[in-house]
Amino acid sequence: MIQKIAVLTSGGDAPGMNAAIRGVTRYADCKGIAVEGIAHGYAGLIAEEMRPLDRRAVGETIQRGGTFLRTARCKEFFDRNVQERAAKFLRRRQIDALVVIGGDGSMKGAQALSSFGMPTVVIPGTIDGDMIGTEYTVGLDTAVNTVLVSVNKIRDTAVSHDRVAVVEVMGRHAGFIALYSGLAVGAEAVLTPEKPVDLAALCGDLLASHGMKKRSSIIIVAEGAANSGTVVDYIREHTYLEANLTVLGYIQRGGSPTAYDSIMAGLFAQKAVDTLLAGQYNCVIGSVGQKIAAVPYEEAHTVRLKFDTNIYKLIHQLGK
Ligand code: ADP
Ligand code: F6P
């Protein structure tokens, strides 16, 4: 019987993480389960930074980006002895299960704790969108909307100066932020890790479209696809066009979560608690075919957000 759980946020922060913490805390309270919050991700777990979370502790947090529990990237947690000590600490503090809110790396940490007998569930939280076990990760929609607002501002100056604006976005080894923002902003092209990068072809397309009276262009580059500085240099060297670079960086990780991210965070949180109450542990709470599901870790590899080649092609068809 689950009587007390702990929750932590880990890895890259993402808008909606606070909504997820709030959802876990308040829904668990509805079910008579006590909640403890662990600060600074697995680093805080190792340091035994844990304190009770009640309904008031999560008040006025749903609208805030980032994570009020703080997060961390913690190399020490790759050590099996450290993982075992962390599991023992949780058991010593009568924690029946741990809810981890984070990305694919954080899920590996949760799996490690499970291997030492500490039940875990993972709520997918990363702006990258690239986790196994789910077709959606909390933070992706907010990041895409942040890119939309930012690129629309960049477009103003590109149009005013007849320039090619190259914009680098995050996503680590995935191109989902670039793909969705590319269509949303009406980019002329996107470069993503999932597709071959051909700078000669890109320049050919730019010269063709600018030869048809196009005055400015937006090129979105996923950080995992190419060195965006190299892309700008190549355009400058192989065309007459004026190109410049904006690296959006960490602005994509901040900001108040969109409605969609707040809603998904709440639904993921509810499912996480219900899954534990049903006696099902060691799974990632995922969006699978538009439904919220608990996917056992050993089956998670069968579910992931698919790179939509149709969107990729449509961006280039509409961008000319
Ligand atoms: P994200 O969860 O956003 O992908 P990271 O990949 O940095 O972020 O992972 C976050 C933390 O999860 C790491 O700093 C580390 O503490 C833990 N972690 C990642 N991979 C593993 C692993 N294979 N085994 C144990 N812990 C891991
Ligand atoms: O995983 C989320 C993310 O923002 C990636 O898109 C990015 O490459 C990485 O984190 C940056 O890591 P850090 O916050 O450690 O610099």
Side-chain angles (χ1 to χ4, degrees):
M1 174 62 189
I2 296 278
Q3 293 178 314
K4 181 158 67 168
I5 61 175
V7 58
L8 65 80
T9 48
S10 171
D13 65 307
M17 281 188 165
N18 284 325
I21 300 166
R22 173 182 179 276
V24 167
T25 302
R26 290 192 174 178
Y27 189 72
D29 181 62
C30 295
K31 299 295 181 180
I33 299 171
V35 181
E36 299 268 334
I38 296 170
H40 297 107
Y42 292 123
L45 175 57
I46 294 169
E48 303 185 358
E49 288 179 65
M50 189 163 82
R51 61 181 168 82
L53 284 184
D54 60 15
R55 301 183 82 93
R56 297 286 71 77
V58 296
E60 297 164 14
T61 61
I62 190 169
Q63 79 284 3
R64 286 165 46 195
T67 161
F68 79 87
L69 282 178
R70 306 301 192 269
T71 182
R73 299 188 195 275
C74 175
K75 291 188 176 55
E76 296 79 5
F77 204 68
F78 285 82
D79 181 327
R80 294 286 290 167
N81 296 321
V82 171
Q83 295 160 6
E84 185 174 22
R85 278 202 304 275
K88 285 180 178 164
F89 160 72
L90 291 170
R91 273 196 296 277
R92 196 166 61 244
R93 295 284 291 269
Q94 288 84 44
I95 300 296
D96 298 311
L98 174 68
V99 178
V100 172
I101 303 166
D104 48 9
S106 301
M107 179 154 75
K108 293 194 180 86
Q111 289 173 283
L113 285 168
S114 299
S115 73
F116 287 106
M118 174 46 58
T120 59
V121 288
V122 170
I123 290 174
T126 171
I127 65 169
D128 298 346
D130 64 343
M131 278 178 77
I132 59 172
T134 183
E135 293 163 351
Y136 189 74
T137 62
V138 169
L140 175 60
D141 184 57
T142 305
V144 169
N145 278 280
T146 298
V147 173
L148 172 67
V149 170
S150 306
V151 170
N152 284 343
K153 291 177 188 290
I154 294 166
R155 185 188 289 281
D156 289 345
T157 179
V159 166
S160 304
H161 288 267
D162 295 347
R163 281 174 176 162
V164 176
V166 176
V167 181
E168 180 187 304
V169 299
M170 283 185 159
R172 202 187 289 261
H173 310 306
F176 296 115
I177 296 173
L179 183 72
Y180 297 135
S181 59
L183 185 58
V185 304
E188 276 65 25
V190 295
L191 303 184
T192 67
E194 294 84 357
K195 291 289 181 186
V197 172
D198 182 341
L199 297 183
L202 173 66
C203 288
D205 291 343
L206 286 171
L207 288 171
S209 57
H210 284 250
M212 291 189 292
K213 304 279 181 281
K214 179 178 277 287
R215 307 273 296 278
S216 62
S217 290
I218 300 284
I219 313 293
I220 306 278
V221 180
E223 62 180 339
N227 177 307
S228 49
T230 303
V231 174
V232 172
D233 293 344
Y234 191 95
I235 294 169
R236 287 172 175 165
E237 286 156 19
H238 293 79
T239 73
Y240 62 90
L241 301 169
E242 202 181 334
N244 58 18
L245 174 61
T246 303
V247 178
L248 290 183
Y250 292 94
I251 192 175
Q252 298 162 89
R253 288 254 288 272
S256 191
T258 58
Y260 189 74
D261 273 330
S262 292
I263 291 165
M264 290 305 286
L267 292 173
F268 279 159
Q270 177 189 42
K271 185 67 175 177
V273 174
D274 280 342
T275 298
L276 293 172
L277 282 170
Q280 192 184 352
Y281 313 132
N282 309 334
C283 49
V284 48
I285 305 301
S287 173
V288 184
Q290 306 290 319
K291 289 199 175 3
I292 310 291
V295 181
Y297 292 147
E298 59 274 12
E299 296 170 20
H301 67 279
T302 65
V303 181
R304 64 168 59 240
L305 178 59
K306 296 205 176 22
F307 185 85
D308 190 326
T309 300
N310 176 57
I311 292 180
Y312 180 83
K313 285 179 185 164
L314 185 59
I315 290 166
H316 295 87
Q317 288 167 327
L318 300 183
K320 293 190 189 312

